[in-house]
Amino acid sequence: MKKVLIVVIALFGLVASIFFAFRNEGAVKTSVAQQWPGQMGTLETVTERWPKLEANSASGKLASLGEMLPKNNTALHDFVAREITRDEIAIGESPALPDVSAIRDLLLREPVAWERYDEVGDEHAIAIRAMQMTMARALVANALTKARNGAPVAWDDLHAVWKLARSLDGHPQMMAQTAALSMARMINAVAWKMPLPAPTWLSEMQSRDDVRPLLDAFQHQTANYWRTSARIFPTKWLASSIDHDRKIAEDLFKFTGCEVSTPMNQLGTDLSSLWRRAFRYRAEREATANALRVREGKSIETSSRCTDGGWMFDGKTLRFSREIATGPPDTPMPLVLRVKH
């Protein structure tokens, strides 16, 4: 027993010596004090930029309606994914769809405010996000079904999804902003198939770039991991990880293309695939805008905000000058669209 106690004490001493050897509070403080791009401030000021948000009665009613939707509706999910990735304007037959009229009407009628959850991996926040995405897919599916029958009210379902996405403004958690991006991409991917004319709110959606909110969420995530780690183990490794992730943000802030390749961030879940989706979405918005121009009898915009490509139209097919890589589980809209038969 005495020998075991001696070994335990020795091990404890070894761990303690390693801890103090690698501990470097000064390096962490220096990294934390660095400015992030786009006037985002330092990690220390992150919480000041995001005031606390409380849920309102509309979000409670919406959550109750959302909970009544079928969970894991594979047929609906597959239908939406098929139409998003389909390169022709024709819309296929849909499966039986849930009634989303109450959800749509509430979103179009009342402003929705959700409670904010700042902890990474909060179980309630994860459940709310899943419910929000279920509602969004169901609304998009209903929009597609109405558009197949030429009904202009199909736009109302998409507008409701846009309102749902905007209800996540002011929520800097990464899971909230990835949900908002996914909703916007779904709307955009099917909007070019909707009945003409396009509503005015669509131009608001297409002028919004979701890269900045995602960068804000990235900084918020880094700050969250810094606060958690610094209490336990403020090391040189933590300092270098903060610097590494800030450099990713700086490079992304300056990037002007639509196909981006970033190294893995060192704090939190790997976001490299997210950045590919976010920058590709810039070209996707242009695809939809140009497809609607063609359908309205207008000329396309051949230029692109993507410095690594441009647009062409041969009278039938609209195409981006190059493919932009993405990967599973992403199901993006194609950048080659058969607008006319």
Side-chain angles (χ1 to χ4, degrees):
M1 185 66 183
K2 186 176 180 180
K3 290 182 179 179
V4 172
L5 184 59
I6 292 172
V7 170
V8 169
I9 293 172
L11 287 174
F12 180 80
L14 178 62
V15 170
S17 64
I18 292 174
F19 175 85
F20 286 109
F22 285 93
R23 186 180 180 91
N24 195 328
E25 293 184 20
V28 174
K29 287 181 179 179
T30 298
S31 296
V32 167
Q34 301 303 308
Q35 294 285 332
W36 282 54
Q39 298 182 325
M40 293 163 66
T42 70
L43 294 189
E44 292 173 316
T45 63
V46 168
T47 54
E48 299 170 8
R49 294 174 53 218
W50 304 103
K52 187 176 181 180
L53 295 177
E54 300 289 348
N56 66 0
S57 60
S59 68
K61 290 184 283 187
L62 190 60
S64 297
L65 292 169
E67 288 298 329
M68 291 190 289
L69 291 175
K71 307 293 189 299
N72 302 317
N73 191 331
T74 304
L76 183 152
H77 189 283
D78 290 348
F79 169 62
V80 172
R82 185 186 74 217
E83 293 306 323
I84 284 175
T85 57
R86 193 172 185 171
D87 66 354
E88 56 184 312
I89 197 166
I91 298 170
E93 189 172 351
S94 70
L97 299 177
D99 181 7
V100 293
S101 56
I103 293 173
R104 179 190 63 243
D105 293 346
L106 192 154
L107 282 165
L108 295 180
R109 184 181 66 246
E110 300 182 45
V112 174
W114 305 95
E115 183 179 355
R116 214 183 85 195
Y117 298 90
D118 281 347
E119 294 300 319
V120 175
D122 184 277
E123 291 185 4
H124 187 67
I126 292 171
I128 290 291
R129 184 191 190 278
M131 180 265 295
Q132 291 165 343
M133 292 305 302
T134 297
M135 287 192 290
R137 288 192 190 93
L139 286 162
V140 170
N142 275 270
L144 285 162
T145 302
K146 292 172 184 174
R148 187 171 189 261
N149 297 320
V153 291
W155 285 107
D156 291 342
D157 291 277
L158 294 187
H159 193 192
V161 182
W162 179 237
K163 293 277 192 178
L164 180 59
R166 295 286 55 76
S167 72
L168 297 174
D169 288 347
H171 290 257
Q173 306 89 332
M174 187 57 75
M175 71 170 68
Q177 291 310 312
T178 55
L181 173 67
S182 296
M183 291 178 200
R185 289 181 77 210
M186 280 196 293
I187 298 167
N188 182 76
V190 302
W192 72 283
K193 304 183 181 190
M194 296 292 113
L196 296 175
T200 55
W201 64 262
L202 186 66
S203 60
E204 173 199 346
M205 191 193 84
Q206 292 193 317
S207 65
R208 177 187 169 94
D209 194 340
D210 284 279
V211 169
R212 177 54 192 259
L214 289 167
L215 287 172
D216 288 331
F218 183 35
Q219 185 194 35
H220 184 270
Q221 173 180 282
T222 303
N224 203 308
Y225 279 102
W226 154 61
R227 288 192 179 90
T228 302
S229 301
R231 293 192 200 106
I232 305 169
F233 208 24
T235 63
K236 180 64 177 175
W237 177 86
L238 176 60
S240 65
S241 295
I242 292 171
D243 292 338
H244 172 83
D245 289 2
R246 189 185 68 255
K247 179 64 165 55
I248 289 175
E250 290 171 350
D251 291 344
L252 290 171
F253 186 78
K254 295 182 291 186
F255 189 73
T256 58
C258 285
E259 182 171 15
V260 68
S261 178
T262 57
M264 290 177 57
N265 47 291
Q266 294 183 354
L267 298 173
T269 306
D270 176 26
L271 299 175
S272 52
S273 63
L274 168 66
W275 302 122
R276 286 198 296 272
R277 297 195 300 274
F279 280 87
R280 190 183 194 277
Y281 177 47
R282 290 176 169 177
E284 292 170 6
R285 294 200 305 274
E286 293 174 350
T288 293
N290 271 330
L292 288 169
R293 285 192 187 95
V294 169
R295 291 182 58 205
E296 293 167 350
K298 301 176 183 176
S299 300
I300 69 165
E301 293 284 349
T302 58
S303 62
S304 171
R305 69 166 298 174
C306 309
T307 53
D308 48 3
W311 290 96
M312 300 170 285
F313 180 61
D314 63 7
K316 292 184 178 180
T317 303
L318 173 72
R319 68 178 65 244
F320 196 59
S321 56
R322 61 196 297 272
E323 185 49 65
I324 299 176
T326 185
D330 190 25
T331 52
M333 73 175 293
L335 298 181
V336 178
L337 303 176
R338 291 183 285 169
V339 185
K340 291 186 176 182
H341 295 291

